[in-house]
Amino acid sequence: MANLAKLEDIVSLCKRRGFIFQSSEIYGGLASCYDYGPLGVELKNNVKKAWWKSVVHMHDNVVGLDCSILMHPLVWKASGHADKFADLIAECKSCNTRTRVDHLQNHAEEHTEHVNIDVELAATHDLSNKVCPKCGKVGNFTEPMPFKLMFETQMGANVDDSMTLYLRPETAQGIFANFKNVIDTTRVKIPFGIAQIGKSFRNEVTTKAFTFRTREFEQAEMEFFCEPGTDENWYEFWKEQRFNWYTELGIKKDNLRFRDHDPDELAHYAKACVDVEYKFPFGSGDWQELEGVANRTDFDLRQHQRGMRTLNSWYEQKGDLTQIQLKDEAEDYNKGPLSYFDEQAKKRFIPYVIEPSAGIDRSTLAFLVDAYDEEEVKGETRNLLRFHPALAPTKVAVFPLVKKDGMPDIAHNICKELKKYFTCFYDQAGAIGRRYRRQDEAGTPFCITVDGQTKEDNTVTVRDRDSMEQKRVSTDQLLNYLRDKLEI
RNA sequence: GCGGGUGUAGCUCAGUGGUAGAGCGUCACGUUGCCAACGUGAAUGUCGUGAGUUCGAAUCUCAUCACCCGCUCCA
């Protein structure tokens, strides 16, 4: 990338070109919320399409799903989010710095990430010998406070009998909740995957860095179910698949890397986890996570079997999640309702799960930043977005060289015909060079120009965004030529 | 939430108590036969928002909202 040294430059580019706007901007904005403009929505949709094609359509054993954002509250009791999806934080009274309790020095023995809220609220914490990492003061902390990271909402317009629900903090649980449905209806056999793209919500303690960490965000997740013992191989398989996806769509290899999680960094459900990180031109350490690939073991399906057994107590407590405890696992949990029967081996088991979980907003931003380029052309700076054709918001622009001699009509007809196959933009305003440069900034791979020669021999020029080179192509061959170049 | 910074046209910014500006971009007309050409003209501002001080506030004070950097977090 060139000269996008700061986040402000990216924000400015996104606004200027209609990729991303601040939400509710005319009202002064709403923290952590962003809108995708005309070019942005095309780009983001293309990112999702590319993910879906790569993860679902290119694999015989992966199917898709689109489930509701609101789910039965017990889903979140079983998954652990209702009780544990919170961070325990204490504030230093001297310097007002908030620090996770387990990050306080001399305190490594107690693991307080994803704590049990009720237990922590009741418990007393002795922080008298803990050191503030910022100012060095000892034992001068507020009582630790857990932050609930799930959004709550009400279902039912009548206040008296409405039910508290959560906006999902991840799409994954909707997949686990539909595991049985998919098994029963689609003839899939293990190993197989279920993929989903959709919005998730987390009440982050702090949001920041533009669309990088927002409270409302879009995930692309796939749960790949496999036999225990084969999970480590599949972990490696998907790790590689996912990394290559980014580079095949144009992310420069130098800007992408894996980062393995340390054992003590792993979430409560994970056996292994690796991040795919992109070197963003902002933030403290530059490298920021785009995607996590995790080995979730059989944790989630087993938890939901417990959740299913808990349904009666939930009714008895009139839906008050805080009053119930998840039922223990059955002794033969391996034969439970969410188990899988292997016909060949005549064996029943709870599958292990490998989960690639990508942030769509994050990768969209990364593709945008990575595609940005500036170059010198005859003493002028040319700004362009070198999008992979699959991601480019507009694939082709069509111009008449000048707006006379019937050129606009011919160009209009070509544009109309091409629109059947891919996004196509017509422009006749201003000098031809200016129109080329406008498309460069939008990342359009090809520009087609109708000129005086077109009427004589039925050819047009096709101008390449990256090289600025032009070729004459017959209008009969134009569609094939472009499809070949665009790989569509 | 705390500390630091910022907020004026679509974008980048100038304007520090006295009639809101520039460059770029956008639009129109003319010109123009391939890389941000030229000419002429035009539109666009709750000066983030709300109070206060003042004869008078973009400018001073307070509050508030949003963004950026750090703490934190993680898709």
Side-chain angles (χ1 to χ4, degrees), chain A residues 38 59 91 111 114 118-119 129 137 147 182 211 257 274 295 300 328 346 366-367 376 381 388 459 465:
Chain A
H59 296 275
E91 194 167 304
H111 193 76
H114 299 150
D118 296 330
V119 170
N129 61 346
K137 282 260 186 180
F147 278 76
V182 173
T211 58
R257 74 174 188 191
V274 63
N295 184 340
D300 298 278
D328 285 340
K346 306 293 181 202
F367 284 122
E376 285 288 310
T381 303
H388 185 282
T459 61
R465 175 195 66 202

Side-chain angles (χ1 to χ4, degrees), chain A residues 67-73 76 153-155 165-168:
Chain A
C67 67
S68 66
I69 287 173
L70 302 174
M71 285 186 269
H72 195 290
W76 308 111
T153 190
Q154 309 301 125
M155 185 158 83
L165 295 181
Y166 299 106
L167 304 190
R168 66 181 178 201

Side-chain angles (χ1 to χ4, degrees), chain A residues 214-420:
Chain A
T214 53
R215 296 201 169 103
E216 171 180 345
F217 59 101
E218 194 146 20
Q219 292 184 300
E221 296 193 297
M222 195 266 290
E223 309 302 319
F224 192 79
F225 301 92
C226 60
E227 190 178 343
T230 66
D231 52 303
E232 288 179 18
N233 286 339
W234 286 114
Y235 177 72
E236 292 302 323
F237 174 83
W238 284 108
K239 204 177 134 176
E240 189 190 335
Q241 287 271 310
R242 294 304 309 144
F243 191 91
N244 292 343
W245 182 76
Y246 292 97
T247 55
E248 281 161 13
L249 285 172
I251 297 278
K252 297 171 192 78
K253 285 200 173 68
D254 288 349
N255 293 334
L256 203 68
R257 74 174 188 191
F258 280 125
R259 190 184 67 82
D260 283 306
H261 282 216
D262 294 331
D264 63 351
E265 184 186 357
L266 291 173
H268 59 283
Y269 51 75
K271 172 177 163 184
C273 189
V274 63
D275 287 341
V276 179
E277 295 189 328
Y278 178 74
K279 194 176 182 181
F280 278 102
F282 60 76
S284 49
D286 284 350
W287 292 96
Q288 306 279 348
E289 178 191 2
L290 295 179
E291 169 160 0
V293 180
N295 184 340
R296 291 183 79 130
T297 70
D298 55 2
F299 177 85
D300 298 278
L301 290 176
R302 284 171 65 179
Q303 284 296 109
H304 285 299
Q305 289 192 153
R306 294 178 65 191
M308 292 163 79
R309 292 157 63 86
T310 312
L311 195 52
N312 272 339
S313 21
W314 185 74
Y315 284 132
E316 283 160 14
Q317 296 300 327
K318 298 186 164 57
D320 186 350
L321 282 188
T322 64
Q323 296 303 308
I324 59 171
Q325 273 201 316
L326 216 52
K327 283 268 193 295
D328 285 340
E329 245 178 345
E331 262 186 50
D332 57 348
Y333 70 84
N334 263 315
K335 296 187 170 63
L338 300 184
S339 62
Y340 174 85
F341 185 69
D342 186 329
E343 300 273 2
Q344 298 267 301
K346 306 293 181 202
K347 193 167 74 171
R348 192 169 271 284
F349 60 89
I350 304 284
Y352 264 44
V353 174
I354 304 302
E355 174 199 76
S357 174
I360 291 293
D361 306 277
R362 290 182 175 185
S363 54
T364 299
L365 189 61
F367 284 122
L368 189 61
V369 168
D370 209 67
Y372 184 77
D373 198 10
E374 293 175 357
E375 64 177 26
E376 285 288 310
V377 179
K378 295 180 184 169
E380 300 270 355
T381 303
R382 184 171 82 113
N383 297 323
L384 69 159
L385 291 166
R386 298 186 190 272
F387 287 130
H388 185 282
L391 299 183
T394 307
K395 310 300 184 200
V396 174
V398 185
F399 314 137
L401 183 59
V402 288
K403 43 187 173 181
K404 60 182 186 185
D405 300 337
M407 291 181 207
D409 281 347
I410 299 171
H412 260 128
N413 286 336
I414 290 173
C415 188
K416 193 177 167 191
E417 184 61 24
L418 292 177
K419 271 179 192 289
K420 295 175 188 169

Side-chain angles (χ1 to χ4, degrees), chain A residues 185-202:
Chain A
T185 56
T186 64
R187 300 174 59 225
V188 288
K189 286 193 173 66
I190 273 180
F192 74 94
I194 305 176
Q196 168 161 237
I197 296 176
K199 288 281 182 86
S200 293
F201 303 82
R202 294 181 191 174

Side-chain angles (χ1 to χ4, degrees), chain A residues 110-127:
Chain A
E110 191 176 337
H111 193 76
T112 54
E113 186 183 8
H114 299 150
V115 296
N116 185 306
I117 293 171
D118 296 330
V119 170
E120 292 301 335
L121 280 175
T124 54
H125 285 267
D126 180 15
L127 302 180

Side-chain angles (χ1 to χ4, degrees), chain A residues 423-439:
Chain A
T423 51
C424 203
F425 182 80
Y426 176 86
D427 190 6
Q428 63 174 32
I432 188 71
R434 174 182 294 268
R435 282 179 271 164
Y436 285 143
R437 297 299 175 86
R438 276 193 197 124
Q439 294 306 315

